Amino acid sequence: MQPTIDLQQLQALLQCDTLDMCNVLEMIMASKRERIKKLHTYSITPANSHNKYWTTYFKCENKARQLLRGKTEDELLDKLVKLYEENANLDNLTFNKLFDEWLEYKKAITNSVNTIKRHKQHYAKYFEPSKLHSMKLSNIDTFALETECNRIVKEFNLTRKAWVNAKTILIGMFDYAKRKKYITDNPLSDMKITVRYKQVVKKSGNTQTYNTDELEELNKYLDAMYQETGNSAYIAVRLNFFLGLRVGELVALKPEDIMGNQLHVVREEVRDQEANRNYVVEHTKTNRDRFVVLVPQAKKLLEKLDMNSLYLFERNGERLTARQVAYVLEKYAKRQGIGTKSTHKIRKTYASMLNAYGVPIDAIREQLGHSELSTTLSYIYNPLTEDATYSLISNALESKKQCDSRCDSK
């Protein structure tokens, strides 16, 4: 193996004034050759009795591959070094340039304008003011990354969840860089956050879900208002406690999505903040469709709707928006003199109710359309009243006591 650059050795030679520049240049070139050998995807064929040249191929993007030859391995590698530096500009690629390049790639593969906007905001807040912003990618190793990321977590007093959101940028950037052969090793893979995250008190079911008593009162209101107005927004809210959909998915439902005992979730409403408008796209947030169970109570509610309309929830021939559904809950809260629980709390109530009554957590994940089980777990709270919780715990412990007694009698 060729020698690599030893910075401490170079510094010592400079101080002793015994530096051989030819040797330094050769060390630099040898280091580049070793790097290219790791990056290069085509095989390098040594000279042999049939071919006196070392050979390989090189391919630029959108161009045909070209054959390269060298009398020695080093000569061939030197040609590769030059080509890689000219075409990939590896030595001058900085962290911020990588972010810009990755973001353009991300725009091409995502349907969410808001995701791109959020990445820009997080980068501007956390990474643009950091040392990483202007660092060459070749100089960013695990320790450099670890130092800056720990500083960011500490300086901004981030919660674990907030850091995970910001870290999404790093995961995307370095995965992209490795796939593009800009780096051989991902410095993020071994990075550790050792500073303490901001501690937050976990929210409770009282604020994150509608408990059984609250739900009973809300349902009475929704039924009465639907009878009075015929506005399907009241049915939409009522129905979603049996579906657990994202509100954007709820208002994008069509009669054709009803398939026997299942509901096919294939589209959603999105909002373009810059254009200030809502529209429906033919995909969900995760770009995966799913089937949600339709229980008998949900089917009865669906029977109230016009199955000849384009969308399930319309008013005066116009599709209801997510904002109109949210307004139902705001109006109810104002009337009751209580704080508003958002449409997203319906989704959490749905997940928590299923969990409370024994539905397997992975089945809940599938119903919600989550990719990760950890996301589903963050939706689980206690949606029961104090009396219902007491009864459930009492019955569980009483069952345990009876089981223990039977075991002792054997």
Side-chain angles (χ1 to χ4, degrees):
M1 181 179 289
Q2 295 284 355
T4 57
I5 301 173
D6 187 329
L7 294 179
Q8 291 183 342
Q9 182 183 357
L10 287 177
Q11 188 176 22
L13 290 171
L14 282 169
Q15 291 174 348
C16 296
D17 200 24
T18 59
L19 191 61
D20 184 341
M21 290 304 299
C22 291
N23 186 44
V24 171
L25 292 174
E26 178 53 31
M27 290 172 67
I28 293 173
M29 199 62 195
S31 180
K32 288 184 177 182
R33 290 184 194 120
E34 287 301 313
R35 185 180 178 198
I36 291 302
K37 283 171 72 174
K38 292 179 181 179
L39 289 173
H40 193 53
T41 54
Y42 289 100
S43 60
I44 296 176
T45 305
N48 53 49
S49 58
H50 300 290
N51 187 354
K52 62 180 180 180
Y53 291 101
W54 285 67
T55 59
T56 189
Y57 289 95
F58 180 83
K59 187 179 185 306
C60 299
E61 287 189 5
N62 304 320
K63 293 183 180 180
R65 68 177 186 175
Q66 62 183 106
L67 176 66
L68 296 180
R69 298 188 300 177
K71 293 180 179 179
T72 64
E73 182 183 18
D74 284 352
E75 182 179 320
L76 181 64
L77 289 172
D78 289 351
K79 290 181 179 180
L80 282 172
V81 167
K82 184 178 180 181
L83 285 169
Y84 272 100
E85 289 182 346
E86 288 175 353
N87 291 277
N89 200 19
L90 295 179
D91 288 337
N92 294 317
L93 183 62
T94 58
F95 184 83
N96 63 303
K97 288 180 181 178
L98 174 63
F99 172 74
D100 291 339
E101 187 176 323
W102 168 73
L103 200 64
E104 287 302 313
Y105 161 75
K106 192 71 176 175
K107 287 178 183 178
I109 64 169
T110 184
N111 296 305
S112 175
V113 175
N114 292 332
T115 296
I116 300 301
K117 183 178 180 180
R118 186 166 60 250
H119 287 329
K120 287 181 178 179
Q121 291 171 339
H122 283 162
Y123 185 88
K125 183 175 182 179
Y126 302 123
F127 300 112
E128 192 170 316
S130 77
K131 293 179 181 178
L132 294 171
H133 177 70
S134 57
M135 282 183 69
K136 289 184 178 181
L137 190 62
S138 57
N139 292 337
I140 300 177
D141 57 14
T142 297
F143 296 105
L145 197 61
E146 197 166 86
T147 300
E148 273 303 285
C149 290
N150 275 277
R151 182 196 61 78
I152 289 169
V153 172
K154 184 177 181 180
E155 184 175 309
F156 286 92
N157 195 23
L158 298 181
T159 62
R160 184 184 294 274
K161 184 177 180 180
W163 170 244
V164 167
N165 290 336
K167 187 182 175 184
T168 301
I169 294 174
L170 298 180
I171 293 172
M173 286 174 61
F174 285 108
D175 178 65
Y176 173 82
K178 189 166 184 180
R179 290 170 63 193
K180 289 284 287 185
K181 309 297 182 184
Y182 294 165
I183 56 176
T184 54
D185 299 307
N186 189 338
L188 191 64
S189 59
D190 294 325
M191 191 201 76
K192 297 177 182 178
I193 297 297
T194 56
V195 298
R196 185 173 179 173
Y197 294 106
K198 178 183 178 182
Q199 301 302 301
V200 293
V201 178
K202 182 172 173 60
K203 297 172 182 177
S204 70
N206 291 333
T207 60
Q208 298 302 300
T209 65
Y210 290 83
N211 68 34
T212 43
D213 285 349
E214 291 174 326
L215 196 50
E216 184 178 353
E217 288 299 314
L218 175 60
N219 284 338
K220 289 178 182 177
Y221 168 80
L222 295 171
D223 290 341
M225 291 302 295
Y226 177 70
Q227 289 295 327
E228 180 182 326
T229 66
N231 186 349
S232 63
Y234 296 102
I235 296 294
V237 173
R238 185 98 154 75
L239 179 66
N240 207 30
F241 281 101
F242 296 109
L243 303 177
L245 304 184
R246 300 176 180 93
V247 67
E249 296 170 340
L250 181 69
V251 297
L253 290 173
K254 295 182 177 181
E256 65 204 53
D257 299 329
I258 301 170
M259 299 181 176
N261 292 328
Q262 292 183 314
L263 185 70
H264 195 194
V265 184
V266 294
R267 71 189 72 81
E268 68 172 352
E269 175 193 277
V270 296
R271 178 164 181 79
D272 187 336
Q273 297 288 355
E274 295 181 1
N276 193 29
R277 69 185 184 96
N278 301 312
Y279 57 94
V280 171
V281 292
E282 294 298 317
H283 61 80
T284 64
K285 182 180 179 181
T286 57
N287 288 311
R288 289 197 295 268
D289 63 334
R290 68 184 187 281
F291 289 90
V292 174
V293 171
L294 278 178
V295 296
Q297 298 99 311
K299 289 182 178 181
K300 286 182 180 179
L301 290 170
L302 287 170
E303 290 172 0
K304 299 176 183 289
L305 302 173
D306 182 5
M307 292 298 156
N308 294 316
S309 59
L310 179 59
Y311 292 95
L312 279 180
F313 303 107
E314 293 187 355
R315 190 176 189 186
N316 299 325
E318 295 290 328
R319 180 185 65 83
L320 291 181
T321 65
R323 182 70 195 89
Q324 288 172 297
V325 174
Y327 179 68
V328 169
L329 296 174
E330 293 171 8
K331 186 178 178 181
Y332 170 74
K334 185 176 181 180
R335 176 171 173 168
Q336 298 295 107
I338 58 177
T340 302
K341 289 185 178 179
S342 68
T343 54
H344 196 59
K345 302 296 169 62
I346 296 178
R347 193 162 152 81
K348 291 184 177 181
T349 301
Y350 171 84
S352 299
M353 284 293 186
L354 294 184
N355 179 72
Y357 290 103
V359 176
I361 192 69
D362 196 52
I364 300 174
R365 180 191 64 77
E366 291 176 351
Q367 291 290 111
L368 293 175
H370 288 158
S371 301
E372 300 294 334
L373 199 60
S374 58
T375 306
T376 306
L377 289 171
S378 71
Y379 277 54
I380 303 299
Y381 296 87
N382 179 11
L384 307 179
T385 61
E386 287 187 13
D387 288 344
T389 301
Y390 174 83
S391 178
L392 200 63
I393 293 174
S394 179
N395 290 339
L397 295 178
E398 187 63 28
S399 298
K400 180 180 182 302
K401 180 180 177 182
Q402 293 173 2
C403 180
D404 290 343
S405 297
R406 287 195 297 271
C407 290
D408 290 341
S409 63
K410 291 182 180 180

